[in-house]
Amino acid sequence: MRQASKLIRQHILAVLSDGHFHSGEAIAQEVGLSRTAVAGHIAQLSDWGLDVFKVKGKGYRLERGFTLLNADTIKKHLPGPRMALVDVEAVLPSTNTEMKKRIVNTPHNLANGDVVLAEVQTAGRGRHGREWLAPVGGSLTFSMYWSFPDGYQSMAGLSLLVGLAVCEGLKAVGVDDAQLKWPNDVYLQGKKLAGILIEVEGQIGATAHSVIGIGLNVCMPENQYDVGQPHTDLAAFLGFAPDRNSLAAAIIHALCDLLPKFSQQGFGPFVDLWQAMDLYADKTIVLQMGEKRFSGVDRGVDASGALLVETRDGITRFHGGEVSLRGQ
């Protein structure tokens, strides 16, 4: 029953995604339900964050139409043959949660570069357990699987490497000057554009199964989402909302291009590239670690991805985890 409801809502979302009015009767005929049942499903879409307008005599429409994510379209934008999976789901609690579930339940079916994307995340997560808020059709949220046979220690600097891949993918839509905030944020014109959440499954000393989660703002309704810091989206920068399918393909391609070298050589070969894009390079920063605050000058990162902070006492290294960074 739950799967049937999911498919019906996915169908209704596809109908409404053109941004035009559709009568309740027409939608009911389309999905083979009563108008009352359709109204219930549309109410659920509204609960997921879609602005669905109902106008008497005209029917339903979304505030803003958008092109749905499509696995086949994404694959067509990817260069060369691709064996890894591209899976688009209409609704998931979280793409990271879904990928972690697959690691636990069907690990032998996974391949490096497998990707799960979602139009709707009902329980998206950011760092430190924060909620990741994303409007339907206005964001790009996906998770990629990648294994590290040499274990957890071989993943040092992974979130920084992923940031580089996101910036490389953004070039495909005309964004050449994105910057990186240690350890896992992408910024554009001084505001947050995307976030990265790395999660790991596996035992100490065994292969580490990583989940690379990415959330990127494509078209965020102004003042609708409070993420606790200044944020921006691609539509505001470009003047239009770029195609999310081609953007997804560009970032996926960049990840699959950079991750093999990272897996073999670590983050060392990427240090200079990351530092050239460091948002706070040579600026005074404040690090928050629980109740403790630490201030110094950002001097880049080392081969392990640790942040180098200069104070009167010399250079101190900080690793990810529970550290939050702000400019002063």
Side-chain angles (χ1 to χ4, degrees):
M1 181 65 182
R2 183 177 298 177
Q3 180 66 16
S5 295
K6 179 179 174 182
L7 292 173
I8 290 166
R9 288 166 193 162
Q10 185 173 351
H11 195 149
I12 294 173
L13 178 59
V15 170
L16 295 175
S17 65
D18 62 8
H20 298 146
F21 276 107
H22 296 269
S23 70
E25 183 177 355
I27 297 174
Q29 290 177 350
E30 181 92 19
V31 297
L33 293 174
S34 69
R35 291 174 63 178
T36 301
V38 165
H41 284 294
I42 289 177
Q44 181 63 63
L45 293 179
S46 296
D47 289 343
W48 288 339
L50 280 96
D51 289 322
V52 184
F53 293 95
K54 182 181 181 182
V55 177
K56 191 172 182 179
K58 289 188 175 182
Y60 302 95
R61 77 168 178 87
L62 296 180
E63 179 185 33
R64 177 184 58 83
F66 59 91
T67 301
L68 291 166
L69 292 170
N70 182 277
D72 290 334
T73 303
I74 293 170
K75 290 176 186 175
K76 287 177 183 176
H77 286 295
L78 290 168
R82 177 175 169 79
M83 301 302 293
L85 173 77
V86 176
D87 181 17
V88 173
E89 296 282 345
V91 185
L92 287 174
S94 153
T95 57
N96 265 30
T97 298
E98 173 64 20
M99 188 61 82
K100 288 171 70 177
K101 187 188 305 179
R102 296 183 186 190
I103 290 171
V104 173
N105 296 336
T106 57
H108 301 298
N109 294 340
L110 291 170
N112 283 346
D114 279 2
V115 175
V116 176
L117 305 96
E119 286 287 5
V120 180
Q121 284 197 136
T122 57
R125 305 192 310 282
R127 285 184 79 218
H128 309 308
R130 299 189 187 101
E131 184 180 9
W132 179 269
L133 301 171
V136 180
S139 63
L140 184 60
T141 53
F142 70 92
S143 298
M144 175 180 283
Y145 169 79
W146 203 274
S147 64
F148 292 86
D150 292 332
Y152 186 83
Q153 67 276 8
S154 64
M155 295 173 53
L158 178 58
S159 66
L160 281 68
L161 183 281
V162 174
L164 288 173
V166 171
C167 291
E168 184 62 30
L170 285 169
K171 293 178 182 178
V173 297
V175 178
D176 298 318
D177 51 358
Q179 293 179 288
L180 295 166
K181 190 188 100 171
W182 184 90
N184 53 8
D185 287 336
V186 179
Y187 270 58
L188 187 59
Q189 296 183 323
K191 297 179 180 180
K192 184 171 179 176
L193 177 69
I196 296 156
L197 178 63
I198 307 293
E199 297 186 279
V200 189
E201 294 286 332
Q203 302 296 321
I204 299 296
T207 295
H209 302 276
S210 71
V211 178
I212 299 167
I214 296 171
L216 190 151
N217 302 330
V218 177
C219 185
M220 298 275 282
E222 192 172 358
N223 300 324
Q224 185 172 333
Y225 291 88
D226 180 10
V227 299
Q229 58 183 297
H231 63 275
T232 189
D233 59 33
L234 292 177
F237 178 78
L238 297 170
F240 64 92
D243 176 60
R244 292 180 303 146
N245 289 301
S246 58
L247 175 59
I251 297 174
I252 291 167
H253 174 60
L255 284 166
C256 291
D257 186 46
L258 296 180
L259 279 166
K261 183 176 181 179
F262 173 84
S263 299
Q264 295 168 5
Q265 301 180 37
F267 186 67
F270 303 97
V271 167
D272 290 344
L273 183 59
W274 195 94
Q275 292 187 161
M277 305 174 73
D278 185 359
L279 177 68
Y280 291 119
D282 300 321
K283 296 178 181 177
T284 300
I285 57 173
V286 176
L287 296 171
Q288 186 85 34
M289 297 154 286
E291 298 299 317
K292 297 180 181 178
R293 288 168 62 90
F294 186 96
S295 180
V297 177
D298 176 352
R299 296 303 187 195
V301 295
D302 66 14
S304 73
L307 181 68
L308 307 178
V309 181
E310 182 179 6
T311 67
R312 288 175 296 179
D313 298 324
I315 297 290
T316 301
R317 287 170 169 78
F318 291 89
H319 294 272
E322 296 304 307
V323 181
S324 293
L325 182 154
R326 291 286 185 273
Q328 192 174 65

